[in-house]
Amino acid sequence: APTREAPPGGGGGGCMDVLGAKLATQVAAAVHLETAMMEHTYSHPDPAEKQIKAAKKALQIDLKLTGVMGKRTVHQIDAKAQMVVMLHRENGDANFRDSDDESESDDMETCPPPPSEIP
């Protein structure tokens, strides 16, 4: 019987599978958001809304547009009404990081390099 070999680059599962799944989710969400922007540009609100809902589902987030009272600058004396977007992660992940965050993800620190990159 033929034996199944591991794919090149490790493919042994574990950490690399998790990173691959996260990347696939992020790419899928990005495609949905880009498609939504295109639909919006060409005045197709219903298809755009469907794409945004698909991106939210892929990222497991819920967005809520609301208002809060607050100050935008240190020079502002009175609090003013401001529109904000509230984000809630459905999976309860408290380690959500912004893409502009300069620190590396915890997952990246624990993953060994692929066998092809080991000297």
Side-chain angles (χ1 to χ4, degrees):
T3 59
R4 223 172 129 181
E5 295 182 21
C15 187
M16 297 309 285
D17 288 346
V18 170
L19 291 177
K22 285 183 179 182
L23 180 60
T25 298
Q26 291 171 349
V27 169
V31 168
H32 286 299
L33 291 174
E34 289 291 335
T35 305
M37 289 175 55
M38 187 239 359
E39 295 286 6
H40 176 72
T41 299
Y42 291 105
S43 301
H44 301 140
D46 292 336
E49 184 178 357
K50 287 180 184 177
Q51 293 296 328
I52 291 171
K53 286 180 180 179
K56 288 171 35 177
K57 183 178 178 182
L59 293 172
Q60 297 179 347
I61 61 173
D62 185 39
L63 301 174
K64 179 181 176 186
L65 187 63
T66 188
V68 296
M69 296 296 288
K71 300 176 185 176
R72 288 189 287 179
T73 68
V74 295
H75 306 292
Q76 191 174 348
I77 296 171
D78 298 326
K80 304 285 183 187
Q82 299 178 32
M83 190 176 298
V84 295
V85 175
M86 305 290 284
L87 178 124
H88 176 261
R89 298 205 33 112
E90 293 174 4
N91 63 1
D93 184 7
N95 294 324
F96 179 77
R97 294 185 183 189
D98 190 273
S99 61
D100 293 334
D101 190 357
E102 292 180 11
S103 64
E104 289 190 23
S105 168
D106 293 336
D107 291 335
M108 294 298 285
E109 293 172 8
T110 58
C111 288
S116 60
E117 293 181 15
I118 298 175

